[in-house]
PDB file of all heavy atoms in Angstrom:
ATOM      1  N   GLN A  81     103.900 111.358 121.447  1.00 98.00           N
ATOM      2  CA  GLN A  81     103.865 109.935 121.118  1.00 98.00           C
ATOM      3  C   GLN A  81     103.142 109.743 119.786  1.00 98.00           C
ATOM      4  O   GLN A  81     102.185 110.462 119.488  1.00 98.00           O
ATOM      5  CB  GLN A  81     103.105 109.104 122.180  1.00 98.00           C
ATOM      6  CG  GLN A  81     103.719 109.091 123.557  1.00 98.00           C
ATOM      7  CD  GLN A  81     103.042 108.068 124.479  1.00 98.00           C
ATOM      8  OE1 GLN A  81     102.678 106.975 124.079  1.00 98.00           O
ATOM      9  NE2 GLN A  81     102.890 108.436 125.748  1.00 98.00           N
ATOM     10  N   ILE A 104      96.464  86.292 115.069  1.00 86.00           N
ATOM     11  CA  ILE A 104      96.894  86.976 116.293  1.00 86.00           C
ATOM     12  C   ILE A 104      95.834  86.741 117.363  1.00 86.00           C
ATOM     13  O   ILE A 104      94.632  86.866 117.107  1.00 86.00           O
ATOM     14  CB  ILE A 104      97.087  88.488 116.027  1.00 86.00           C
ATOM     15  CG1 ILE A 104      98.271  88.705 115.074  1.00 86.00           C
ATOM     16  CG2 ILE A 104      97.285  89.253 117.334  1.00 86.00           C
ATOM     17  CD1 ILE A 104      98.476  90.157 114.660  1.00 86.00           C
ATOM     18  N   GLN A 115     104.355 101.626 118.944  1.00 98.00           N
ATOM     19  CA  GLN A 115     104.745 103.033 119.041  1.00 98.00           C
ATOM     20  C   GLN A 115     105.829 103.307 118.010  1.00 98.00           C
ATOM     21  O   GLN A 115     106.819 102.572 117.916  1.00 98.00           O
ATOM     22  CB  GLN A 115     105.258 103.344 120.444  1.00 98.00           C
ATOM     23  CG  GLN A 115     105.687 104.801 120.595  1.00 98.00           C
ATOM     24  CD  GLN A 115     105.694 105.281 122.020  1.00 98.00           C
ATOM     25  OE1 GLN A 115     105.481 104.503 122.944  1.00 98.00           O
ATOM     26  NE2 GLN A 115     105.914 106.568 122.215  1.00 98.00           N
ATOM     27  N   GLY A 116     105.654 104.372 117.234  1.00 98.00           N
ATOM     28  CA  GLY A 116     106.635 104.760 116.224  1.00 98.00           C
ATOM     29  C   GLY A 116     107.230 106.116 116.513  1.00 98.00           C
ATOM     30  O   GLY A 116     106.921 106.756 117.526  1.00 98.00           O
ATOM     31  N   ALA A 117     108.090 106.571 115.618  1.00 98.00           N
ATOM     32  CA  ALA A 117     108.802 107.841 115.802  1.00 98.00           C
ATOM     33  C   ALA A 117     107.843 109.016 115.664  1.00 98.00           C
ATOM     34  O   ALA A 117     107.106 109.110 114.685  1.00 98.00           O
ATOM     35  CB  ALA A 117     109.920 107.962 114.779  1.00 98.00           C
ATOM     36  N   ASP A 119     109.092 112.291 116.400  1.00 98.00           N
ATOM     37  CA  ASP A 119     109.934 113.492 116.497  1.00 98.00           C
ATOM     38  C   ASP A 119     110.274 114.085 115.141  1.00 98.00           C
ATOM     39  O   ASP A 119     110.952 115.098 115.075  1.00 98.00           O
ATOM     40  CB  ASP A 119     111.240 113.165 117.239  1.00 98.00           C
ATOM     41  CG  ASP A 119     112.045 112.057 116.565  1.00 98.00           C
ATOM     42  OD1 ASP A 119     111.435 111.211 115.893  1.00 98.00           O
ATOM     43  OD2 ASP A 119     113.275 112.049 116.715  1.00 98.00           O
ATOM     44  N   ASP A 120     109.774 113.480 114.075  1.00 97.00           N
ATOM     45  CA  ASP A 120     110.249 113.885 112.747  1.00 97.00           C
ATOM     46  C   ASP A 120     109.152 113.681 111.701  1.00 97.00           C
ATOM     47  O   ASP A 120     109.416 113.211 110.601  1.00 97.00           O
ATOM     48  CB  ASP A 120     111.495 113.040 112.407  1.00 97.00           C
ATOM     49  CG  ASP A 120     112.321 113.629 111.271  1.00 97.00           C
ATOM     50  OD1 ASP A 120     112.229 114.841 111.034  1.00 97.00           O
ATOM     51  OD2 ASP A 120     113.054 112.849 110.625  1.00 97.00           O
ATOM     52  N   ASP A 135     114.125  97.343 100.369  1.00 98.00           N
ATOM     53  CA  ASP A 135     113.436  97.244 101.661  1.00 98.00           C
ATOM     54  C   ASP A 135     111.924  97.050 101.526  1.00 98.00           C
ATOM     55  O   ASP A 135     111.234  96.894 102.531  1.00 98.00           O
ATOM     56  CB  ASP A 135     113.708  98.491 102.512  1.00 98.00           C
ATOM     57  CG  ASP A 135     115.138  98.541 103.027  1.00 98.00           C
ATOM     58  OD1 ASP A 135     115.814  97.486 103.015  1.00 98.00           O
ATOM     59  OD2 ASP A 135     115.575  99.633 103.451  1.00 98.00           O
ATOM     60  N   MET A 152      96.173 107.894 132.836  1.00 97.00           N
ATOM     61  CA  MET A 152      96.317 106.444 132.805  1.00 97.00           C
ATOM     62  C   MET A 152      94.984 105.764 133.120  1.00 97.00           C
ATOM     63  O   MET A 152      94.246 106.220 133.992  1.00 97.00           O
ATOM     64  CB  MET A 152      97.360 106.007 133.851  1.00 97.00           C
ATOM     65  CG  MET A 152      97.742 104.543 133.794  1.00 97.00           C
ATOM     66  SD  MET A 152      98.756 104.027 135.220  1.00 97.00           S
ATOM     67  CE  MET A 152     100.232 105.000 134.964  1.00 97.00           C
ATOM     68  N   GLY A 185     109.014  89.531 118.172  1.00 93.00           N
ATOM     69  CA  GLY A 185     108.106  89.875 119.258  1.00 93.00           C
ATOM     70  C   GLY A 185     108.266  91.289 119.758  1.00 93.00           C
ATOM     71  O   GLY A 185     107.444  91.776 120.527  1.00 93.00           O
ATOM     72  N   GLY A 187     108.372  93.928 117.715  1.00 96.00           N
ATOM     73  CA  GLY A 187     107.552  94.785 116.869  1.00 96.00           C
ATOM     74  C   GLY A 187     108.347  95.673 115.936  1.00 96.00           C
ATOM     75  O   GLY A 187     109.569  95.602 115.863  1.00 96.00           O
ATOM     76  N   LEU A 189     110.262  98.581 114.065  1.00 98.00           N
ATOM     77  CA  LEU A 189     111.139  99.724 114.336  1.00 98.00           C
ATOM     78  C   LEU A 189     111.759 100.161 113.013  1.00 98.00           C
ATOM     79  O   LEU A 189     111.354 101.162 112.440  1.00 98.00           O
ATOM     80  CB  LEU A 189     112.207  99.364 115.365  1.00 98.00           C
ATOM     81  CG  LEU A 189     112.963 100.592 115.868  1.00 98.00           C
ATOM     82  CD1 LEU A 189     112.387 101.102 117.168  1.00 98.00           C
ATOM     83  CD2 LEU A 189     114.443 100.311 116.012  1.00 98.00           C
ATOM     84  N   GLN A 190     112.689  99.368 112.481  1.00 98.00           N
ATOM     85  CA  GLN A 190     113.264  99.699 111.182  1.00 98.00           C
ATOM     86  C   GLN A 190     112.196  99.674 110.085  1.00 98.00           C
ATOM     87  O   GLN A 190     112.324 100.380 109.085  1.00 98.00           O
ATOM     88  CB  GLN A 190     114.377  98.715 110.837  1.00 98.00           C
ATOM     89  CG  GLN A 190     115.587  98.807 111.755  1.00 98.00           C
ATOM     90  CD  GLN A 190     116.695  97.847 111.350  1.00 98.00           C
ATOM     91  OE1 GLN A 190     116.464  96.870 110.654  1.00 98.00           O
ATOM     92  NE2 GLN A 190     117.908  98.131 111.804  1.00 98.00           N
ATOM     93  N   LYS A 192     109.402 100.932 110.091  1.00 98.00           N
ATOM     94  CA  LYS A 192     108.533 102.102 110.125  1.00 98.00           C
ATOM     95  C   LYS A 192     109.335 103.398 110.161  1.00 98.00           C
ATOM     96  O   LYS A 192     109.681 103.914 111.236  1.00 98.00           O
ATOM     97  CB  LYS A 192     107.597 102.024 111.343  1.00 98.00           C
ATOM     98  CG  LYS A 192     106.587 100.880 111.280  1.00 98.00           C
ATOM     99  CD  LYS A 192     105.521 101.092 110.206  1.00 98.00           C
ATOM    100  CE  LYS A 192     104.462  99.991 110.242  1.00 98.00           C
ATOM    101  NZ  LYS A 192     103.410 100.208 109.214  1.00 98.00           N
ATOM    102  N   HIS A 247      92.924 101.664 125.019  1.00 98.00           N
ATOM    103  CA  HIS A 247      93.960 100.625 124.955  1.00 98.00           C
ATOM    104  C   HIS A 247      95.343 101.234 125.199  1.00 98.00           C
ATOM    105  O   HIS A 247      96.149 100.716 125.973  1.00 98.00           O
ATOM    106  CB  HIS A 247      93.918  99.923 123.598  1.00 98.00           C
ATOM    107  CG  HIS A 247      94.939  98.840 123.448  1.00 98.00           C
ATOM    108  ND1 HIS A 247      94.724  97.552 123.872  1.00 98.00           N
ATOM    109  CD2 HIS A 247      96.206  98.864 122.949  1.00 98.00           C
ATOM    110  CE1 HIS A 247      95.803  96.821 123.633  1.00 98.00           C
ATOM    111  NE2 HIS A 247      96.717  97.591 123.069  1.00 98.00           N
ATOM    112  N   ARG A 250      96.122 102.281 128.889  1.00 97.00           N
ATOM    113  CA  ARG A 250      95.922 101.237 129.908  1.00 97.00           C
ATOM    114  C   ARG A 250      96.913 101.356 131.066  1.00 97.00           C
ATOM    115  O   ARG A 250      96.548 101.228 132.229  1.00 97.00           O
ATOM    116  CB  ARG A 250      96.052  99.886 129.212  1.00 97.00           C
ATOM    117  CG  ARG A 250      96.260  98.669 130.095  1.00 97.00           C
ATOM    118  CD  ARG A 250      95.013  98.224 130.801  1.00 97.00           C
ATOM    119  NE  ARG A 250      95.180  96.869 131.311  1.00 97.00           N
ATOM    120  CZ  ARG A 250      95.882  96.561 132.409  1.00 97.00           C
ATOM    121  NH1 ARG A 250      96.464  97.509 133.103  1.00 97.00           N
ATOM    122  NH2 ARG A 250      95.983  95.305 132.805  1.00 97.00           N
ATOM    123  N   SER A 251      98.180 101.594 130.751  1.00 97.00           N
ATOM    124  CA  SER A 251      99.212 101.597 131.798  1.00 97.00           C
ATOM    125  C   SER A 251     100.148 102.798 131.686  1.00 97.00           C
ATOM    126  O   SER A 251     101.250 102.776 132.222  1.00 97.00           O
ATOM    127  CB  SER A 251     100.029 100.298 131.723  1.00 97.00           C
ATOM    128  OG  SER A 251     100.604 100.149 130.437  1.00 97.00           O
ATOM    129  N   ARG A 252      99.712 103.818 130.972  1.00 97.00           N
ATOM    130  CA  ARG A 252     100.541 105.024 130.852  1.00 97.00           C
ATOM    131  C   ARG A 252      99.652 106.244 130.659  1.00 97.00           C
ATOM    132  O   ARG A 252      98.565 106.165 130.109  1.00 97.00           O
ATOM    133  CB  ARG A 252     101.492 104.913 129.662  1.00 97.00           C
ATOM    134  CG  ARG A 252     100.790 104.820 128.315  1.00 97.00           C
ATOM    135  CD  ARG A 252     101.723 104.915 127.130  1.00 97.00           C
ATOM    136  NE  ARG A 252     102.572 103.730 127.004  1.00 97.00           N
ATOM    137  CZ  ARG A 252     103.408 103.528 125.978  1.00 97.00           C
ATOM    138  NH1 ARG A 252     103.500 104.434 125.023  1.00 97.00           N
ATOM    139  NH2 ARG A 252     104.148 102.442 125.904  1.00 97.00           N
ATOM    140  N   ARG A 253     100.158 107.381 131.115  1.00 97.00           N
ATOM    141  CA  ARG A 253      99.545 108.671 130.833  1.00 97.00           C
ATOM    142  C   ARG A 253      99.962 109.076 129.426  1.00 97.00           C
ATOM    143  O   ARG A 253     101.121 108.891 129.039  1.00 97.00           O
ATOM    144  CB  ARG A 253     100.100 109.672 131.852  1.00 97.00           C
ATOM    145  CG  ARG A 253      99.599 111.051 131.784  1.00 97.00           C
ATOM    146  CD  ARG A 253     100.038 111.829 133.035  1.00 97.00           C
ATOM    147  NE  ARG A 253     101.426 112.263 132.987  1.00 97.00           N
ATOM    148  CZ  ARG A 253     101.811 113.514 132.697  1.00 97.00           C
ATOM    149  NH1 ARG A 253     100.905 114.433 132.435  1.00 97.00           N
ATOM    150  NH2 ARG A 253     103.077 113.837 132.691  1.00 97.00           N
ATOM    151  N   THR A 255     100.559 112.288 127.385  1.00 98.00           N
ATOM    152  CA  THR A 255     100.615 113.736 127.564  1.00 98.00           C
ATOM    153  C   THR A 255      99.939 114.420 126.376  1.00 98.00           C
ATOM    154  O   THR A 255      99.756 113.835 125.310  1.00 98.00           O
ATOM    155  CB  THR A 255     102.058 114.223 127.741  1.00 98.00           C
ATOM    156  OG1 THR A 255     102.804 113.941 126.556  1.00 98.00           O
ATOM    157  CG2 THR A 255     102.730 113.536 128.933  1.00 98.00           C
ATOM    158  N   ALA A 329     123.464 109.704 104.863  1.00 63.00           N
ATOM    159  CA  ALA A 329     124.079 108.776 105.821  1.00 63.00           C
ATOM    160  C   ALA A 329     125.533 109.084 106.141  1.00 63.00           C
ATOM    161  O   ALA A 329     126.294 109.500 105.279  1.00 63.00           O
ATOM    162  CB  ALA A 329     123.978 107.363 105.290  1.00 63.00           C
TER     163      ALA A 329
ATOM    164  N   GLN B  81     112.723 110.458 121.315  1.00 98.00           N
ATOM    165  CA  GLN B  81     112.451 109.024 121.171  1.00 98.00           C
ATOM    166  C   GLN B  81     113.072 108.272 122.346  1.00 98.00           C
ATOM    167  O   GLN B  81     114.140 108.641 122.818  1.00 98.00           O
ATOM    168  CB  GLN B  81     113.055 108.442 119.876  1.00 98.00           C
ATOM    169  CG  GLN B  81     112.507 108.991 118.576  1.00 98.00           C
ATOM    170  CD  GLN B  81     112.993 108.211 117.358  1.00 98.00           C
ATOM    171  OE1 GLN B  81     113.124 106.990 117.397  1.00 98.00           O
ATOM    172  NE2 GLN B  81     113.259 108.915 116.269  1.00 98.00           N
ATOM    173  N   GLN B 115     110.196 100.735 120.553  1.00 98.00           N
ATOM    174  CA  GLN B 115     110.099 102.142 120.930  1.00 98.00           C
ATOM    175  C   GLN B 115     109.065 102.293 122.029  1.00 98.00           C
ATOM    176  O   GLN B 115     107.948 101.783 121.908  1.00 98.00           O
ATOM    177  CB  GLN B 115     109.715 102.994 119.717  1.00 98.00           C
ATOM    178  CG  GLN B 115     109.602 104.481 120.059  1.00 98.00           C
ATOM    179  CD  GLN B 115     109.735 105.381 118.865  1.00 98.00           C
ATOM    180  OE1 GLN B 115     109.828 104.931 117.725  1.00 98.00           O
ATOM    181  NE2 GLN B 115     109.760 106.678 119.100  1.00 98.00           N
ATOM    182  N   GLY B 116     109.437 102.993 123.097  1.00 98.00           N
ATOM    183  CA  GLY B 116     108.530 103.220 124.216  1.00 98.00           C
ATOM    184  C   GLY B 116     108.223 104.698 124.408  1.00 98.00           C
ATOM    185  O   GLY B 116     108.700 105.549 123.657  1.00 98.00           O
ATOM    186  N   ALA B 117     107.440 104.992 125.441  1.00 98.00           N
ATOM    187  CA  ALA B 117     107.009 106.372 125.694  1.00 98.00           C
ATOM    188  C   ALA B 117     108.176 107.217 126.166  1.00 98.00           C
ATOM    189  O   ALA B 117     108.883 106.838 127.103  1.00 98.00           O
ATOM    190  CB  ALA B 117     105.896 106.388 126.737  1.00 98.00           C
ATOM    191  N   ASP B 119     107.659 110.741 126.569  1.00 98.00           N
ATOM    192  CA  ASP B 119     107.075 112.049 126.895  1.00 98.00           C
ATOM    193  C   ASP B 119     106.830 112.225 128.377  1.00 98.00           C
ATOM    194  O   ASP B 119     106.361 113.287 128.789  1.00 98.00           O
ATOM    195  CB  ASP B 119     105.768 112.250 126.129  1.00 98.00           C
ATOM    196  CG  ASP B 119     104.733 111.177 126.436  1.00 98.00           C
ATOM    197  OD1 ASP B 119     105.127 110.050 126.790  1.00 98.00           O
ATOM    198  OD2 ASP B 119     103.533 111.466 126.334  1.00 98.00           O
ATOM    199  N   ASP B 120     107.160 111.227 129.172  1.00 97.00           N
ATOM    200  CA  ASP B 120     106.730 111.273 130.576  1.00 97.00           C
ATOM    201  C   ASP B 120     107.727 110.525 131.456  1.00 97.00           C
ATOM    202  O   ASP B 120     107.338 109.783 132.351  1.00 97.00           O
ATOM    203  CB  ASP B 120     105.326 110.639 130.679  1.00 97.00           C
ATOM    204  CG  ASP B 120     104.613 110.971 131.965  1.00 97.00           C
ATOM    205  OD1 ASP B 120     104.935 112.004 132.572  1.00 97.00           O
ATOM    206  OD2 ASP B 120     103.719 110.195 132.360  1.00 97.00           O
ATOM    207  N   ASP B 135      99.127  92.770 137.078  1.00 98.00           N
ATOM    208  CA  ASP B 135      99.831  92.955 135.800  1.00 98.00           C
ATOM    209  C   ASP B 135     101.267  92.430 135.810  1.00 98.00           C
ATOM    210  O   ASP B 135     101.948  92.475 134.793  1.00 98.00           O
ATOM    211  CB  ASP B 135      99.848  94.443 135.407  1.00 98.00           C
ATOM    212  CG  ASP B 135      98.478  94.946 134.989  1.00 98.00           C
ATOM    213  OD1 ASP B 135      97.609  94.118 134.677  1.00 98.00           O
ATOM    214  OD2 ASP B 135      98.279  96.187 134.971  1.00 98.00           O
ATOM    215  N   MET B 152     119.975 109.330 109.170  1.00 97.00           N
ATOM    216  CA  MET B 152     119.533 108.009 108.732  1.00 97.00           C
ATOM    217  C   MET B 152     120.710 107.208 108.180  1.00 97.00           C
ATOM    218  O   MET B 152     121.553 107.755 107.477  1.00 97.00           O
ATOM    219  CB  MET B 152     118.459 108.162 107.644  1.00 97.00           C
ATOM    220  CG  MET B 152     117.784 106.862 107.241  1.00 97.00           C
ATOM    221  SD  MET B 152     116.724 107.049 105.755  1.00 97.00           S
ATOM    222  CE  MET B 152     115.478 108.188 106.351  1.00 97.00           C
ATOM    223  N   SER B 184     101.564  89.038 119.362  1.00 93.00           N
ATOM    224  CA  SER B 184     100.870  89.769 118.291  1.00 93.00           C
ATOM    225  C   SER B 184     101.838  90.221 117.212  1.00 93.00           C
ATOM    226  O   SER B 184     101.432  90.557 116.102  1.00 93.00           O
ATOM    227  CB  SER B 184     100.153  90.997 118.868  1.00 93.00           C
ATOM    228  OG  SER B 184     101.070  92.059 119.104  1.00 93.00           O
ATOM    229  N   GLY B 185     103.139  90.255 117.544  1.00 93.00           N
ATOM    230  CA  GLY B 185     104.134  90.740 116.596  1.00 93.00           C
ATOM    231  C   GLY B 185     104.279  92.248 116.586  1.00 93.00           C
ATOM    232  O   GLY B 185     105.208  92.779 115.983  1.00 93.00           O
ATOM    233  N   GLY B 187     104.646  94.047 119.367  1.00 96.00           N
ATOM    234  CA  GLY B 187     105.599  94.405 120.410  1.00 96.00           C
ATOM    235  C   GLY B 187     104.967  95.083 121.604  1.00 96.00           C
ATOM    236  O   GLY B 187     103.754  95.234 121.709  1.00 96.00           O
ATOM    237  N   LEU B 189     103.635  97.549 124.401  1.00 98.00           N
ATOM    238  CA  LEU B 189     103.020  98.874 124.530  1.00 98.00           C
ATOM    239  C   LEU B 189     102.453  98.982 125.955  1.00 98.00           C
ATOM    240  O   LEU B 189     103.031  99.646 126.795  1.00 98.00           O
ATOM    241  CB  LEU B 189     101.943  99.094 123.475  1.00 98.00           C
ATOM    242  CG  LEU B 189     101.473 100.545 123.425  1.00 98.00           C
ATOM    243  CD1 LEU B 189     102.155 101.300 122.309  1.00 98.00           C
ATOM    244  CD2 LEU B 189      99.962 100.627 123.270  1.00 98.00           C
ATOM    245  N   GLN B 190     101.360  98.263 126.225  1.00 98.00           N
ATOM    246  CA  GLN B 190     100.824  98.266 127.588  1.00 98.00           C
ATOM    247  C   GLN B 190     101.824  97.675 128.576  1.00 98.00           C
ATOM    248  O   GLN B 190     101.810  98.022 129.755  1.00 98.00           O
ATOM    249  CB  GLN B 190      99.523  97.469 127.637  1.00 98.00           C
ATOM    250  CG  GLN B 190      98.387  98.097 126.845  1.00 98.00           C
ATOM    251  CD  GLN B 190      97.096  97.316 126.957  1.00 98.00           C
ATOM    252  OE1 GLN B 190      97.090  96.130 127.278  1.00 98.00           O
ATOM    253  NE2 GLN B 190      95.989  97.985 126.675  1.00 98.00           N
ATOM    254  N   LYS B 192     104.828  98.269 128.881  1.00 98.00           N
ATOM    255  CA  LYS B 192     105.917  99.190 129.203  1.00 98.00           C
ATOM    256  C   LYS B 192     105.389 100.562 129.616  1.00 98.00           C
ATOM    257  O   LYS B 192     105.194 101.444 128.776  1.00 98.00           O
ATOM    258  CB  LYS B 192     106.854  99.325 127.991  1.00 98.00           C
ATOM    259  CG  LYS B 192     107.605  98.040 127.642  1.00 98.00           C
ATOM    260  CD  LYS B 192     108.666  97.674 128.687  1.00 98.00           C
ATOM    261  CE  LYS B 192     109.458  96.442 128.275  1.00 98.00           C
ATOM    262  NZ  LYS B 192     110.500  96.087 129.260  1.00 98.00           N
ATOM    263  N   HIS B 247     121.613 100.384 114.443  1.00 98.00           N
ATOM    264  CA  HIS B 247     120.386  99.614 114.199  1.00 98.00           C
ATOM    265  C   HIS B 247     119.165 100.544 114.222  1.00 98.00           C
ATOM    266  O   HIS B 247     118.300 100.473 113.342  1.00 98.00           O
ATOM    267  CB  HIS B 247     120.234  98.524 115.264  1.00 98.00           C
ATOM    268  CG  HIS B 247     119.008  97.686 115.085  1.00 98.00           C
ATOM    269  ND1 HIS B 247     118.976  96.583 114.257  1.00 98.00           N
ATOM    270  CD2 HIS B 247     117.750  97.797 115.598  1.00 98.00           C
ATOM    271  CE1 HIS B 247     117.766  96.050 114.278  1.00 98.00           C
ATOM    272  NE2 HIS B 247     117.006  96.771 115.087  1.00 98.00           N
ATOM    273  N   ARG B 250     118.735 102.858 111.087  1.00 97.00           N
ATOM    274  CA  ARG B 250     118.752 102.180 109.779  1.00 97.00           C
ATOM    275  C   ARG B 250     117.851 102.870 108.763  1.00 97.00           C
ATOM    276  O   ARG B 250     118.202 103.058 107.614  1.00 97.00           O
ATOM    277  CB  ARG B 250     118.325 100.738 109.996  1.00 97.00           C
ATOM    278  CG  ARG B 250     117.902  99.945 108.784  1.00 97.00           C
ATOM    279  CD  ARG B 250     119.075  99.524 107.922  1.00 97.00           C
ATOM    280  NE  ARG B 250     118.674  98.475 106.997  1.00 97.00           N
ATOM    281  CZ  ARG B 250     117.964  98.666 105.888  1.00 97.00           C
ATOM    282  NH1 ARG B 250     117.579  99.880 105.548  1.00 97.00           N
ATOM    283  NH2 ARG B 250     117.646  97.636 105.111  1.00 97.00           N
ATOM    284  N   SER B 251     116.651 103.244 109.164  1.00 97.00           N
ATOM    285  CA  SER B 251     115.679 103.796 108.212  1.00 97.00           C
ATOM    286  C   SER B 251     115.013 105.059 108.737  1.00 97.00           C
ATOM    287  O   SER B 251     113.945 105.451 108.276  1.00 97.00           O
ATOM    288  CB  SER B 251     114.608 102.746 107.889  1.00 97.00           C
ATOM    289  OG  SER B 251     113.981 102.311 109.082  1.00 97.00           O
ATOM    290  N   ARG B 252     115.622 105.685 109.733  1.00 97.00           N
ATOM    291  CA  ARG B 252     115.050 106.924 110.269  1.00 97.00           C
ATOM    292  C   ARG B 252     116.158 107.816 110.817  1.00 97.00           C
ATOM    293  O   ARG B 252     117.190 107.341 111.280  1.00 97.00           O
ATOM    294  CB  ARG B 252     114.047 106.629 111.386  1.00 97.00           C
ATOM    295  CG  ARG B 252     114.687 105.985 112.615  1.00 97.00           C
ATOM    296  CD  ARG B 252     113.733 105.873 113.788  1.00 97.00           C
ATOM    297  NE  ARG B 252     112.657 104.910 113.560  1.00 97.00           N
ATOM    298  CZ  ARG B 252     111.756 104.575 114.484  1.00 97.00           C
ATOM    299  NH1 ARG B 252     111.795 105.139 115.670  1.00 97.00           N
ATOM    300  NH2 ARG B 252     110.823 103.684 114.225  1.00 97.00           N
ATOM    301  N   ARG B 253     115.913 109.109 110.758  1.00 97.00           N
ATOM    302  CA  ARG B 253     116.758 110.087 111.423  1.00 97.00           C
ATOM    303  C   ARG B 253     116.390 110.090 112.902  1.00 97.00           C
ATOM    304  O   ARG B 253     115.210 110.037 113.243  1.00 97.00           O
ATOM    305  CB  ARG B 253     116.450 111.452 110.796  1.00 97.00           C
ATOM    306  CG  ARG B 253     117.228 112.607 111.283  1.00 97.00           C
ATOM    307  CD  ARG B 253     116.995 113.800 110.356  1.00 97.00           C
ATOM    308  NE  ARG B 253     115.736 114.483 110.607  1.00 97.00           N
ATOM    309  CZ  ARG B 253     115.617 115.618 111.284  1.00 97.00           C
ATOM    310  NH1 ARG B 253     116.685 116.203 111.791  1.00 97.00           N
ATOM    311  NH2 ARG B 253     114.441 116.193 111.449  1.00 97.00           N
ATOM    312  N   THR B 255     116.386 112.524 115.889  1.00 98.00           N
ATOM    313  CA  THR B 255     116.633 113.937 116.196  1.00 98.00           C
ATOM    314  C   THR B 255     117.388 114.053 117.519  1.00 98.00           C
ATOM    315  O   THR B 255     117.409 113.113 118.325  1.00 98.00           O
ATOM    316  CB  THR B 255     115.323 114.748 116.224  1.00 98.00           C
ATOM    317  OG1 THR B 255     114.500 114.253 117.280  1.00 98.00           O
ATOM    318  CG2 THR B 255     114.573 114.623 114.895  1.00 98.00           C
ATOM    319  N   ALA B 329      92.678 107.583 137.124  1.00 63.00           N
ATOM    320  CA  ALA B 329      91.922 107.156 135.941  1.00 63.00           C
ATOM    321  C   ALA B 329      90.581 107.841 135.785  1.00 63.00           C
ATOM    322  O   ALA B 329      89.888 108.125 136.752  1.00 63.00           O
ATOM    323  CB  ALA B 329      91.709 105.652 136.000  1.00 63.00           C
TER     324      ALA B 329
END
Side-chain angles (χ1 to χ4, degrees):
Chain A
Q81 296 189 39
I104 293 175
Q115 180 158 6
D119 58 333
D120 197 23
D135 289 343
M152 188 190 295
L189 191 96
Q190 294 182 339
K192 294 291 185 179
H247 180 86
R250 164 76 164 77
S251 57
R252 63 171 70 175
R253 181 169 78 102
T255 63
Chain B
Q81 297 189 38
Q115 180 159 5
D119 59 333
D120 197 24
D135 289 342
M152 188 190 296
S184 78
L189 191 99
Q190 294 182 338
K192 294 290 184 179
H247 180 86
R250 164 75 164 77
S251 57
R252 65 172 69 175
R253 182 168 79 101
T255 63

